[in-house]
Amino acid sequence: MIQFKSTAAVRRWCASGLAALQRHQGEIDDLNVYPVPDGDTGTNLVLTLTSAQQALAMDLETLPDDGHTPHGHALRLMARGALLGARGNSGVILSQILRGLADALAAAPAVRGRQLAAALADAATAAYAAVAHPVEGTLLTVVAAAARAAEQADTDDLRAVARAAAGGAARALARTPEQLPALARAGVVDAGGRGLCLLLDALVEVVTGESPARPAPAPPAVRPPATAVRETGSPAYAYEVQYLLDATDEAVARLRGELDGLGDSLVIVGDGGTWNVHVHVNDVGAAVEAGVVAGRPHRITVTRFADQVAPAAPLPAPLPDGRAAVVVATGAGIAELFGAEGATVVPANPSTGELLDAIRATGAARVVVLPNDPNTQSVASAAAREAHRLGVKVSVVPTRSPVQALAALAVRDPKRRFEDDVIAMAEAAGACRYAEVCHASKEALTVAGPCRPGDVLALVEGEVHLIGADLLDTCTAMVDRMLGGGGELVTLLCGADAPAGLADRVREHVERSWPFVEVQAYEGGQPHYPLLVGVE
């Protein structure tokens, strides 16, 4: 038996858990209950734990004089790495689970059963505290069940408690469809909970030397994980960009030349239809936009090398009277719109560390962050907490779409008190109803009825309201439905794969049917969604 009381044990747990997540990455991604092309919990968990493992790769022999044991220090490094690399809600919650474990076990000479049970309870508390509105049937439910099962084991036998926790988590995961109707309709279990079960199984393997014999819950369809061998490259390039790409051979040939001019360590492999693209660059947006021009990029991941090596020299102290805005978005047109409003743009699905770097790089002492995606709000809040420790006051306006961010930035007034300005921006964002149109990526049962791959989906405020066969008809019907509830201004953002003239035809429809409504249309360039709509 390997006792969990050394840095080697922590490293082994992290490596084993990461390997398990990588093996099941595609499976977990496929547990996404919405048939839209950007639900990648498995990918986010892999990226989060990869950052944790990179933090553990530093020299652990020289410990700070803080009273922590070697394994306690390693757990803290693991939790800190996960926090700075956290992607999406699942990644943020996982980082908080690891923080709860680290805080509880940091000073323990050796981890025994009851100590692990108490630490899991602390981890569950930290996870719930990280979510503004906790929902049962999610990762939160699974970690709470693991903590209860560990406590009920009521023993100092570490092996027995680890097995009990993993078993309790697995049973809770199986019950998640009973708690969330969306899971039941899709016939899947919670994706984040599935990832936690893999990590707890890895913990059992570390403390017992045995692999738990537990069948995995099968999703409707399993696709291979989007991973590739990472190789070295020039230190002149700061980011590793990777994505899967649906494109033709001819388009990929052109893409090779484009990416070769942007960076190094370029690898593109595929079967002539779906390609795995990997490159080291400084301009992340250009690398992604090149993929958009070539075809349909998806499973986009961005890793900043500086997050996995010694920290850079500290930035200058923020200017006490300075203000700035940081906006999360993708698409060349959208980035240009936000830039014109004086905002700093961060590519979609950022890590906590990337958002924190953007906040600090503004040089301002007061910064407002607009996440533009429900899945990024937890990341933004985590970055805001970290910035506060560095003397930067950050307020997160919980925008869920770029159109809401545009509405918020339009009312920004540096003459107002910062707090009053944030309130005004939040009110403007809240008054802007948002919608998006995309093509269904898989068969699913939505609140608007069943859909099949290729169907046109109109989502209003995050819910599927319409399912159609024709893109233009669905777009105009969606706008009519939104304006039926009132509105004076319609904002249209056309996506990268939108057919030519889509925005013009929607504008013409609004001008005919709603003559007193103003329409503003822009080329957004966002992937996946041919049209984003805001109504104010």
Side-chain angles (χ1 to χ4, degrees):
M1 180 183 70
I2 301 175
Q3 291 288 348
F4 202 82
K5 60 179 182 180
S6 67
T7 58
V10 176
R11 281 172 160 165
R12 187 172 177 229
W13 177 40
C14 187
S16 179
L18 177 57
L21 286 172
Q22 288 171 330
R23 288 195 302 272
H24 296 274
Q25 180 177 339
E27 169 204 319
I28 298 174
D29 282 346
D30 275 325
L31 294 176
N32 180 43
V33 298
Y34 252 12
V36 297
D38 55 357
D40 293 320
T41 299
T43 299
N44 286 340
L45 289 174
V46 166
L47 291 171
T48 300
L49 207 60
T50 296
S51 181
Q53 186 184 50
Q54 293 290 345
L56 281 172
M58 66 179 290
D59 181 15
L60 297 178
E61 300 305 320
T62 304
L63 300 179
D65 186 17
D66 54 10
H68 297 152
T69 60
H71 70 264
H73 182 60
L75 284 170
R76 283 187 175 277
L77 282 175
M78 182 178 174
R80 176 70 175 173
L83 172 65
L84 294 181
R87 308 255 177 179
N89 288 335
S90 56
V92 171
I93 293 173
L94 175 60
S95 73
Q96 295 307 293
I97 291 172
L98 294 175
R99 181 181 66 80
L101 288 170
D103 288 348
L105 300 174
V111 180
R112 296 185 174 86
R114 287 187 175 87
Q115 289 171 316
L116 176 60
L120 284 169
D122 287 353
T125 300
Y128 273 87
V131 180
H133 303 287
V135 176
E136 297 303 327
T138 64
L139 172 55
L140 298 175
T141 304
V142 176
V143 69
R148 285 194 301 271
E151 182 182 14
Q152 290 166 3
D154 194 24
T155 176
D156 275 332
D157 186 336
L158 181 60
R159 294 171 300 180
V161 172
R163 289 191 183 108
R171 291 188 294 273
L173 177 67
R175 292 192 298 269
T176 54
E178 301 170 13
Q179 298 168 293
L180 274 182
L183 295 176
R185 286 194 300 267
V188 297
V189 295
D190 178 69
R194 171 64 176 138
L196 180 63
C197 285
L198 290 171
L199 287 182
L200 291 175
D201 285 346
L203 180 62
V204 171
E205 185 174 356
V206 168
V207 301
T208 68
E210 304 168 0
S211 298
R214 186 174 295 119
V222 178
R223 59 183 182 241
T227 58
V229 176
R230 176 173 175 161
E231 65 289 336
T232 58
S234 168
Y237 298 105
Y239 296 90
E240 177 189 63
V241 177
Q242 192 170 345
Y243 47 84
L244 293 184
L245 179 71
D246 297 336
T248 64
D249 293 3
E250 293 78 12
V252 169
R254 292 190 294 270
L255 177 65
R256 288 183 192 273
E258 179 76 11
L259 293 181
D260 191 54
L262 291 175
D264 71 0
S265 293
L266 174 63
V267 178
I268 302 180
V269 295
D271 56 8
T274 299
W275 306 82
N276 194 315
V277 180
H278 172 282
V279 67
H280 294 177
V281 295
N282 286 325
D283 192 341
V284 174
V288 175
E289 290 300 320
V292 172
V293 172
R296 188 180 74 87
H298 51 108
R299 301 273 194 85
I300 302 169
T301 63
V302 178
T303 300
R304 194 175 76 97
F305 295 130
D307 288 341
Q308 293 137 38
V309 297
L315 293 173
L319 298 175
D321 297 326
R323 292 192 194 180
V326 174
V327 185
V328 179
T330 186
I334 292 177
E336 185 175 342
L337 288 172
F338 288 138
E341 294 290 341
T344 298
V345 181
V346 178
N349 198 29
S351 68
T352 308
E354 288 166 352
L355 263 184
L356 180 60
D357 284 347
I359 291 168
R360 297 182 66 195
T362 65
R366 296 176 178 85
V367 180
V368 62
V369 176
L370 307 171
N372 292 341
D373 178 4
N375 203 39
T376 305
Q377 288 183 19
S378 296
V379 175
S381 297
R385 290 192 295 269
E386 291 298 308
H388 180 73
R389 298 173 185 172
L390 301 173
V392 182
K393 184 172 185 178
V394 178
S395 291
V396 178
V397 175
T399 52
R400 292 170 171 259
S401 170
V403 293
Q404 289 187 317
L406 288 172
L409 291 172
V411 302
R412 190 167 53 145
D413 184 355
K415 297 178 181 179
R416 280 193 292 246
R417 290 176 58 247
F418 177 70
E419 293 77 9
D420 293 338
D421 208 26
V422 171
I423 292 172
M425 294 175 71
E427 289 175 345
C432 178
R433 286 167 288 144
Y434 69 95
E436 53 218 352
V437 178
C438 67
H439 290 90
S441 58
K442 62 181 178 181
E443 186 173 346
L445 181 61
T446 75
V447 295
C451 71
R452 295 179 175 80
D455 284 349
V456 182
L457 305 181
L459 294 85
V460 180
E461 307 283 332
E463 288 286 352
V464 177
H465 276 224
L466 295 170
I467 301 173
D470 181 80
L471 178 61
L472 177 62
D473 289 346
T474 306
C475 290
T476 55
M478 177 184 69
V479 172
D480 286 343
R481 179 168 296 195
M482 296 178 73
L483 288 174
E488 300 175 353
L489 172 65
V490 173
T491 301
L492 306 176
L493 296 178
C494 261
D497 55 352
L502 177 64
D504 291 337
R505 298 178 70 179
V506 175
R507 182 210 298 269
E508 292 167 0
H509 170 81
V510 173
E511 290 172 348
R512 287 195 306 269
S513 303
W514 308 89
F516 299 106
V517 174
E518 180 183 353
V519 182
Q520 295 179 344
Y522 306 97
E523 290 296 327
Q526 71 274 4
H528 306 314
Y529 296 92
L531 189 68
L532 301 179
V533 179
V535 174
E536 303 174 54

